[in-house]
Each structure stands twice: as structure tokens, then as C-alpha cells.
Amino acid sequence: MTHVELAVAAPAEAEDTVAVVLAACGTTGAWIPAPGDVRAYFRTPSPDLELRFASCWRRMTGEELAFTLRVRPVPDEDWLAGYRAAARPIHIGDRFWVVPPDFEPDVTGPAAMVRIEPGLGFGTGEHPTTRALLRWIHDAGPFRRALDVGTGSGVLALAAVAGGAEAAIGLDPDGLALENAARNRDLNRARGLALARGSLDAVAPGARFDLVLANLDGPALDRLLPALAGRVAPGGRLGVAGALASERSPLLTRSRRVGLVLMDERLDPDPASGGGWWSGWLRRA
Ligand code: SAH
């Protein structure tokens, strides 16, 4: 299969915003080979990809796009090879690692480790939103049963399993993300992880989890909050990420209404938007 590569020449401080807009614009994967050079891949050849990205940018940032764009078709092997070469090990807390397949971290004693094959699913563990949730999973675990809504590469669900969960379910409507998550499940020999295509409605109606994770975006979280809360067992935790700082207040009001109590929160800077990423760690009363 061939993908189309969209190269965005953006200043380093705008990279995160570019990545979010690319995700909203339907990219199947993106990476940053060098500061200021964001490369994103699209499955369906689209003659107006530049226009599509410019219009997503305008809608999401309220500004006109001022970066140079370049489009070219690329065979899958080429971009995946570059993507893999750029993968770095990520260290969460003192005993928890997210690493590329062949990497052996230099730790003595027991450490929880998740191996992620960089591929078409979002979530190599590098993004601040993923890291915020990984830290809570690590610090507050172990959890017995986990549900990961929008699993991407499977990284959060795998972290829950590595942290001691007996069972985890990863959901994603994107078939390519699920394929990547399945490879990562095999790579980690995580037999406790089940994957299903779709969103919350793919889970049996009565099922409750002591850990529910959702790294989506503000509007999706706002829409799904009642349903997400409904999946958390009493006393269980809901970790949400992907919202912007400006979306914090309405999300918190909504989460109170559905019986969630804020336990912890993080604001990770996003110089490009001037605001940042808001992540919340909530408990079901
Ligand atoms: N959980 C990973 C990946 C987050 S990216 C991490 O934290 O790094 C968000 C993922 O959510 C994408 O793979 C996307 O396909 C999926 N997604 C988007 N909207 C969704 C929805 N309404 N329900 C479930 N998954 C969704």
C-alpha cells in the first residue's frame, strides 16, 4: 500500500499543535525527523490534501496557515523505517519504561516495561497526554480491570497490564491502530489484553472497570464523559487527556454532574497554543 506524505515546515514550538491538527485531519501517523519538520501520512490519496490541512488548521486554531507544505506519495516501508529509527525509550517514574522493540533499559531489579513497535497507531508514549496517563497508571496502580477508549498503539492498556491488571480492553474505531495494538500485544505477550474495533458501545452494557482511560480530544471527551463515567466501577478511576487547557473548566463541571471527583490534574505546556494540554485523574464517588 502507498501513503501520501504531507511535510509541514513548522517552527519547533508549533509542532504539538501541528500534530493535533494533523490527527483531526485524519492522518494515520506522524513523526518529527528533525526540529521544525513534521511528516504526516495519509492513506487515501487526496488531490487537495494541502487545502484540507489548511482548512483544519483554520478551524482549530482560528488562524491562517503560514507554514510551507509539501506532498508526495511514499511506499509504506519507507516512512515506517524512518519512524522506527526515530523511536526513543521513555522513562516514566523510576520503574516504568516504554521502549522500542529491541531496547534493553539499564535497570536493576523489577521494572514494568511496555514495548511499542512504532507504527500506524498513535501512542509511542512520547506525547505529553500519553505520559500524563502513564504516570497515573504507574503511581496509582495496580488496577484489576482496565478499559482504554481510543487505544491507538495500545500503550495505555499495555501499561495497565504491565502494572498488574488481570484484564484490559483496548478500543479503537481505526483498523490500522488496532493492527498496531495487536502487534504490540504480541510483542509484550500481554495475554490479558483484548482489543475491539469501535468505541464504548463495543463493550458489554453492564461491564464496569476500576480503571478507564481516554486520551481523545476536548469535544470527544465532553460528548463521552457520561458514558465513560458509567463504565467506572464505584471507587474506580477515570484518566482523561487530550483536552486543551481552555476546555478544563467545562469538562470539570460536566464530570461533577456525572458523579466524578477530581483527584489530580496536570497542565503540560503547549507553547504553540499558549495554553497547554489538560489531563485529569478522576474518581467515581
Ligand atoms: N491511547 C493512546 C492513543 C491516543 S490517540 C495514547 O494515549 O497515546 C486517540 C485514539 O483514539 C486514536 O487512535 C483514535 O483512532 C481513537 N478515537 C478517536 N475517537 C474515538 C472515539 N470516539 N472512541 C474511541 N476511540 C476514538
Side-chain angles (χ1 to χ4, degrees):
M1 192 172 44
T2 296
H3 273 71
V4 176
E5 179 187 77
L6 174 69
V8 185
E13 65 274 13
E15 282 167 0
D16 268 357
T17 311
V18 170
V20 174
V21 176
L22 284 166
C25 202
T27 184
T28 51
W31 67 295
I32 302 173
D37 182 7
V38 183
R39 306 279 176 100
Y41 301 85
F42 292 82
R43 224 170 307 163
T44 1
S46 150
D48 56 357
L49 188 54
E50 287 123 308
L51 286 178
R52 218 168 87 204
F53 179 67
S55 117
C56 284
W57 181 268
R58 207 175 304 120
R59 212 173 51 240
M60 292 180 72
T61 66
E63 286 164 18
E64 286 303 316
L65 184 73
F67 311 139
T68 308
L69 306 177
R70 212 183 56 238
V71 175
R72 65 182 182 118
V74 283
D76 280 358
E77 311 78 61
D78 287 9
W79 77 269
L80 282 171
Y83 196 22
R84 287 192 181 113
R88 285 176 298 192
I90 290 155
H91 197 183
I92 308 282
D94 55 345
R95 290 254 156 260
F96 190 41
W97 290 79
V98 178
V99 298
D102 307 320
F103 185 85
E104 283 308 327
D106 184 15
V107 284
T108 47
M113 200 151 22
V114 174
R115 294 190 181 281
I116 294 293
E117 166 101 30
L120 296 164
F122 178 99
T124 53
E126 214 159 328
H127 200 267
T129 56
T130 312
R131 295 175 68 114
L133 294 177
L134 286 170
R135 183 166 279 281
W136 282 318
I137 298 168
H138 173 63
D139 290 347
F143 295 91
R144 226 166 48 79
R145 285 163 55 78
L147 176 68
D148 180 12
V149 183
T151 199
S153 64
V155 60
L156 299 176
L158 287 166
V161 171
E166 287 162 21
I169 298 179
L171 303 173
D172 208 297
D174 182 334
L176 282 179
L178 272 192
E179 275 174 34
N180 182 230
R183 272 205 304 279
N184 289 324
R185 173 181 57 190
D186 296 345
L187 198 60
N188 289 278
R189 298 194 180 86
R191 262 178 249 109
L193 172 61
L195 297 167
R197 188 158 185 177
S199 190
L200 277 166
D201 44 10
V203 182
R208 301 278 177 281
F209 301 82
D210 55 348
L211 175 63
V212 177
L213 301 158
N215 185 1
L216 301 166
D217 59 33
L221 288 174
D222 186 57
R223 199 174 60 247
L224 291 177
L225 252 182
L228 287 165
R231 294 302 185 161
V232 186
R237 298 288 187 274
L238 169 66
V240 293
L244 302 174
S246 55
E247 293 162 329
R248 171 186 181 272
S249 176
L251 280 174
L252 281 181
T253 307
R254 201 158 170 75
S255 60
R256 270 194 299 276
R257 281 202 202 112
V258 292
L260 296 165
V261 181
L262 184 68
M263 307 290 289
D264 196 5
E265 59 183 331
R266 277 186 65 95
L267 203 56
D268 287 293
D270 174 22
S273 73
W277 299 106
W278 177 75
S279 314
W281 186 239
L282 304 135
R283 190 174 74 87
R284 172 149 176 216

